[in-house]
Amino acid sequence: MSFDLLLEVYAESAVNLKQVICYPGRFQPFHVGHASVYRYLANNHHTADVFVVTTDKVDPPRSPFNFDEKRTLMNAAGIPAAAVVQVKNPYAALEVIDNYNKENLELIFAISEKDMADNPRFGFKPKKDGSPSYLQPYKPGESKPASEHAYIITIPTLDFSILGGDVRSASQIRALYADGDEKLRKQIVTELYGGFKQEIYDLFNEKLV
């Protein structure tokens, strides 16, 4: 689905419901591809509150960064501090929704096509009693308040260029960095964050090398 079509879909949110969009993930590390998704969501949904939600879980080598470190990387990529929220479960985000009246809230989770393909978390199967599961595919104009359901939107995976090649995952970035020399590592930091930042370079050396 194209971003233009997604814009039309998102625009048709339920009447009288406050729209909140959560962009969940491990973000190990957060990078320009992630940032472009956040900017798209924020720029095209002016009445929605858009958050990046992630945990403090550290499990090297796949998840080397803690929440504070991820927040530093997100801020460096241009994500406002107020839009970054630490949660226990990114696909529930109770720390976000508890700040709203669930009866007046339309809650949407924006999930990348890559995540849905590689590790699908949502089958939308009915509960044991036959009632619909809490998480449901988003259907324009049919939303129920967050007290009843939350919704999943699948968004395209955005390719971006690092060192002249297309990159589709944080794992690729970790591998490129670990295998690179000093010059290449500095170039990766520069391309990921719009300029060389010593703090991030030092952090990457500590966590990825």
Side-chain angles (χ1 to χ4, degrees):
M1 183 182 293
S2 70
F3 268 8
D4 288 341
L5 182 56
L6 279 173
L7 176 57
E8 295 178 9
V9 170
Y10 285 140
E12 298 182 41
S13 51
V15 177
N16 297 326
L17 293 180
K18 171 62 180 177
Q19 190 180 70
V20 168
I21 302 174
C22 291
Y23 178 33
R26 290 188 307 113
F27 306 123
Q28 296 282 351
F30 193 89
H31 54 65
V32 292
H34 297 136
S36 65
V37 171
Y38 170 83
R39 285 195 296 271
Y40 173 81
L41 294 170
N43 290 341
N44 289 290
H45 306 285
H46 302 295
T47 62
D49 293 344
V50 182
F51 299 96
V52 180
V53 295
T54 192
T55 73
D56 191 41
K57 181 179 179 180
V58 176
D59 185 21
R62 190 168 180 259
S63 299
F65 299 100
N66 64 32
F67 174 78
D68 288 338
E69 291 161 346
K70 286 187 282 188
R71 180 170 54 191
T72 295
L73 300 177
M74 291 175 191
N75 294 162
I79 309 303
V84 181
V85 181
Q86 179 179 340
V87 296
K88 290 183 179 179
N89 181 351
Y91 303 97
L94 297 179
E95 295 82 353
V96 172
I97 66 174
D98 283 348
N99 294 314
Y100 296 86
N101 181 344
K102 295 179 184 179
E103 297 297 332
N104 297 321
L105 175 64
E106 180 188 44
L107 178 61
I108 294 173
F109 291 93
I111 312 297
S112 76
E113 289 177 347
K114 177 182 179 300
D115 285 343
M116 289 294 283
D118 293 349
N119 185 20
R121 301 173 175 88
F122 315 104
F124 310 116
K125 294 181 179 179
K127 299 176 183 177
K128 291 182 179 180
D129 64 4
S131 62
S133 61
Y134 180 68
L135 287 170
Q136 289 290 306
Y138 186 76
K139 295 180 180 179
E142 298 183 13
S143 292
K144 301 293 185 181
S147 57
E148 298 181 42
H149 289 293
Y151 298 92
I152 301 294
I153 289 287
T154 301
I155 53 178
T157 301
L158 300 178
D159 292 338
F160 55 97
S161 178
I162 296 292
L163 305 175
D166 289 338
V167 175
R168 292 176 62 86
S169 71
S171 61
Q172 287 177 277
I173 293 174
R174 295 196 302 269
L176 284 170
Y177 197 90
D179 293 340
D181 58 17
E182 180 181 358
K183 181 179 179 181
L184 184 143
R185 290 171 182 171
K186 288 184 175 180
Q187 184 63 29
I188 289 174
V189 170
T190 299
E191 293 186 20
L192 282 180
Y193 301 101
F196 180 74
K197 295 177 173 59
Q198 185 68 44
E199 178 185 13
I200 294 175
Y201 177 69
D202 292 342
L203 177 61
F204 272 33
N205 285 340
E206 177 186 350
K207 297 291 183 172
L208 301 181
V209 177

